[in-house]
Amino acid sequence: DTIGIDLVAMCVNDLVCQGAEPLLFLDYFATGKLDVDLAARIIEGIAEGCAQSGCALIGGETAEMPGMYHKGDFDLAGFAVGAMERGQDLPAGVQAGDVLLGLASNGVHSNGYSFVRKVVELSGLGWDAPCPFAEGQTLGEALLAPTRLYVKQALAAIRAGGVHGLAHITGGGLTENPPRVLPEGLACEIDLSAWTLPPVFRWLATQANMAEAELLKTFNSGIGMILVVAEDRAEALSALLSEAGETVCTLGRVVEGEGVIYKGRLL
């Protein structure tokens, strides 16, 4: 009942990074034999994701393909369509001195789960075991916290002015996603001491004996979205996002260079 939220988030969080407002969403659900109750729970999650991001679930496709899927297995896909004013696409105007504002994630989101499954296997814990890093939850529940939707907050910031770019922190983590919004010759300088590594990532890193560089390239490490904003708008936009319920931290700045330059330590 939460995987549908992840499905929507992976589409609409990317759309808003282009400066676009998500308008509509369609899903595709394929399985060997349709379990109506299971499908209904999944669609409820998709509808919830659409409601949270302000777009309409206008239809979808359901396919039964016996022999293609093992019992209980299913395949889920979707896509979103958004719109922007002509000439208002992002990124635009990113320059040295711009400030990087990080918005908190609430867990692993939708990337790195092949690694997560391996770590849990090595830990010897079952999915229904008490979570060692989150009180009152099972390990499975904690690891399946759905991806946060940043659409409404990000659009509000864009419309307030001063946002030059957004980076959704998905596969590739903090190392590979922010450079996508940068012109040639510029880099993101990120201070790793600007936020506290959430317990789920500390547990995964400890269990797997991960190096910090590998952690930063695999997971979001607690930052789900980065806004690149004009220096003179950073304080006002940080306040706007905080009022919208975001946990905001100033991660660093855009500087001359290439890729991502890390300062400080996270682990």
Side-chain angles (χ1 to χ4, degrees):
D1 55 6
T2 59
I3 193 171
I5 297 175
D6 290 298
L7 180 70
V8 174
M10 286 298 103
C11 296
V12 297
N13 282 346
D14 282 355
L15 263 182
V16 78
C17 289
Q18 313 305 310
E21 178 181 359
L23 300 179
L24 56 92
F25 189 87
L26 287 92
D27 68 87
Y28 169 76
F29 178 83
T31 187
K33 181 174 175 55
L34 184 63
D35 179 332
V36 175
D37 290 337
L38 174 67
R41 290 176 65 198
I42 292 169
I43 299 302
E44 284 173 8
I46 295 172
E48 174 62 23
C50 288
Q52 288 187 30
S53 53
C55 69
L57 176 60
I58 65 167
E61 172 74 12
T62 302
E64 282 187 301
M65 293 187 282
M68 284 292 291
Y69 297 94
H70 292 294
K71 184 178 179 180
D73 287 356
F74 61 87
D75 189 19
L76 191 61
F79 75 93
V81 176
M84 68 181 80
E85 294 293 333
R86 192 182 303 277
Q88 297 299 306
D89 52 308
L90 295 175
V94 176
Q95 59 186 344
D98 281 355
V99 174
L100 307 175
L101 299 179
L103 307 185
S105 69
N106 65 343
V108 184
H109 285 188
S110 297
N111 296 97
Y113 276 94
S114 297
F115 187 90
V116 168
R117 287 193 296 273
K118 188 65 176 177
V119 171
V120 173
E121 180 186 330
L122 292 173
S123 76
L125 294 173
W127 299 111
D128 57 352
C131 182
F133 54 84
E135 191 174 342
Q137 290 183 294
T138 66
L139 180 59
E141 286 169 343
L143 289 171
L144 287 175
T147 305
R148 292 200 61 230
L149 289 145
Y150 299 100
V151 173
K152 292 181 179 179
Q153 307 91 307
L155 285 173
I158 292 168
R159 289 163 180 162
V163 176
H164 293 164
L166 298 97
H168 183 202
I169 310 304
T170 54
L174 286 165
T175 301
E176 295 183 1
N177 286 288
R180 295 176 181 177
V181 306
L182 299 175
E184 190 173 346
L186 295 180
C188 286
E189 185 179 75
I190 295 177
D191 182 0
L192 296 176
S193 63
W195 77 101
T196 301
L197 184 68
V200 58
F201 299 111
R202 191 167 295 279
W203 182 80
L204 288 166
T206 301
Q207 290 293 316
N209 195 28
M210 288 182 86
E212 185 177 80
E214 191 64 25
L215 178 73
L216 290 164
K217 195 169 70 172
T218 305
F219 297 113
N220 65 62
S221 301
I223 303 296
M225 181 76 80
I226 293 177
L227 285 80
V228 182
V229 305
E231 184 177 15
D232 62 355
R233 294 287 297 150
E235 189 174 336
L237 288 170
S238 180
L240 182 152
L241 290 161
S242 296
E243 288 170 9
E246 291 296 325
T247 299
V248 187
C249 66
T250 301
L251 299 176
R253 291 180 178 272
V254 175
V255 297
E256 292 184 0
E258 186 177 342
V260 175
I261 302 166
Y262 291 117
K263 294 170 56 183
R265 302 287 299 173
L266 192 59
L267 283 172

